[in-house]
């Protein structure tokens, strides 16, 4: 089992080209697994974590409802935003500047074969990171992601998650709002959930800007512990 995770920070990058890059890595890992099985080989499969910041974009998961996007094509253009239907789970979400997007492309057979546990570990890495900033966050029953104020009228989502997995290889991942313009969430019904707000780390801390590199380092630290992995 290969527990090394290759870390790649892609910086600011277009959603479509990043999606294509994810698909390429994902396919290479799946193909290697098929080859290992077919030829009775034991070549180690690689694991990756991609960090990226996207320009304004809305993405709709395969089980999502297009009606949760409240803009037409012209309005999207006016907002400087793009839209994609994609092959992850979940409904609609927004990505944009000031958001840390993480795409773990892992062969879970290197760690554990349990998608539910995988999602809980992703959530836990964010919950532990937010705790380092003095914020108590948690899970909302039946709703993937990380929330503040769970069980109160002020419940608000700070991190969205949606993944795809095939042959125990994962792609897509999480989006943590750090210094995000929350106005862009007004153009959708986030994750298809009505009546609940969205928030960002800088808003919760009452500061203009949070150091995003510091946040990434904390996320990596917690993923490393949870997955008992080594980042290279």
């Amino acid at each position: 089992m290969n527990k090394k995770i290759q870390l790649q920070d892609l910086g600011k990058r277009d959603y479509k080209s990043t999606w294509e890059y994810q698909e390429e890595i994902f396919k290479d890992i799946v193909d290697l697994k098929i080859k290992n099985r077919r030829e009775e080989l034991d070549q180690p499969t690689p694991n990756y974590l991609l960090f990226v910041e996207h320009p304004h974009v809305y993405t709709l998961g395969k089980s999502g409802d297009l009606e949760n996007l409240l803009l037409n094509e012209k309005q999207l253009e006016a907002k400087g935003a793009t839209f994609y239907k994609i092959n992850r789970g979940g409904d609609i979400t927004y990505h944009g500047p000031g958001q840390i997007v993480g795409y773990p492309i892992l062969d879970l057979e290197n760690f554990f074969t349990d998608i539910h546990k995988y999602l809980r570990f992703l959530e836990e890495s964010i919950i532990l990171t937010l705790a380092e900033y003095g914020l108590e966050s948690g899970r909302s029953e039946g709703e993937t992601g990380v929330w503040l104020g769970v069980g109160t009228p002020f419940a608000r989502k700070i991190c969205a998650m949606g993944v795809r997995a095939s042959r125990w290889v994962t792609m897509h991942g999480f989006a943590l709002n750090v210094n995000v313009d929350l106005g862009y969430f007004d153009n959708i019904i986030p994750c298809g959930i009505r009546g609940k707000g969205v928030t960002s780390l800088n808003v919760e801390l009452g500061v203009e800007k949070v150091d995003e590199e510091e946040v990434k380092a904390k996320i990596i630290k917690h993923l490393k512990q949870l997955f008992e992995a080594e980042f290279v």
Side-chain angles (χ1 to χ4, degrees):
M1 291 197 299
N2 174 27
K3 290 205 164 196
K4 290 183 178 177
I5 299 175
Q6 297 177 46
L7 178 64
Q8 293 184 10
D9 195 325
L10 305 179
K12 293 180 181 176
R13 185 157 166 170
D14 168 74
Y15 185 84
K16 190 168 188 292
S17 69
T18 309
W19 184 16
E20 288 167 352
Y21 182 52
Q22 275 196 84
E23 290 278 13
E24 191 181 303
I25 295 171
F26 179 87
K27 183 179 183 300
D28 285 348
I29 298 172
V30 169
D31 286 351
L32 178 55
K33 293 187 76 168
I34 291 168
K35 183 181 179 183
N36 278 343
R37 198 155 296 167
R38 189 176 57 233
E39 299 179 16
E40 295 184 2
L41 301 172
D42 194 22
Q43 295 182 65
T45 49
N47 308 288
Y48 296 83
L49 172 61
L50 312 180
F51 275 133
V52 66
E53 181 181 82
H54 293 305
H56 303 296
V57 61
Y58 296 99
T59 68
L60 183 71
K62 57 190 176 186
S63 57
D65 186 343
L66 189 55
E67 289 188 5
N68 291 326
L69 174 65
L70 308 177
L71 300 175
N72 60 33
E73 208 169 312
K74 279 188 177 177
Q75 290 169 320
L76 274 170
E77 205 175 303
K79 291 271 181 191
T82 51
F83 170 75
Y84 294 99
K85 281 186 177 179
I86 61 172
N87 59 351
R88 60 159 170 78
D91 206 286
I92 197 162
T93 196
Y94 160 78
H95 298 311
Q99 187 183 67
I100 293 174
V101 177
Y103 295 130
I105 309 174
L106 310 180
D107 179 1
L108 289 182
E109 287 192 301
N110 287 324
F111 303 95
F112 48 77
T113 48
D114 185 332
I115 293 294
H116 181 79
K117 181 177 177 180
Y118 171 66
L119 281 166
R120 300 297 80 79
F121 272 17
L122 291 188
E123 290 167 345
E124 191 66 18
S125 71
I126 302 299
I127 290 166
L128 292 169
T129 296
L130 295 174
E132 291 199 56
Y133 290 93
L135 295 177
E136 188 180 336
S137 61
R139 300 171 180 86
S140 181
E141 196 176 339
E143 297 166 343
T144 304
V146 178
W147 299 73
L148 280 76
V150 176
T152 75
F154 308 105
R156 54 217 183 273
K157 194 170 203 174
I158 195 166
C159 183
M161 292 190 183
V163 303
R164 175 192 171 202
S166 177
R167 293 181 184 265
W168 297 113
V169 181
T170 67
M171 62 179 288
H172 300 296
F174 61 86
L176 175 63
N177 300 333
V178 180
N179 299 302
V180 176
D181 178 351
L182 295 174
Y184 275 83
F185 286 97
D186 295 340
N187 305 313
I188 58 173
I189 299 167
C191 304
I193 301 164
R194 294 179 183 273
K196 287 188 180 176
V198 177
T199 191
S200 190
L201 184 53
N202 69 324
V203 170
E204 294 296 326
L205 296 179
V207 299
E208 190 176 334
K209 189 170 172 62
V210 177
D211 183 339
E212 291 168 33
E213 294 307 311
E214 181 184 85
V215 178
K216 287 178 195 172
K218 292 180 189 302
I219 294 170
I220 290 166
K221 176 179 73 177
H222 295 302
L223 286 172
K224 182 179 175 180
Q225 290 167 347
L226 289 161
F227 284 87
E228 298 176 351
E230 178 189 347
F231 279 87
V232 294

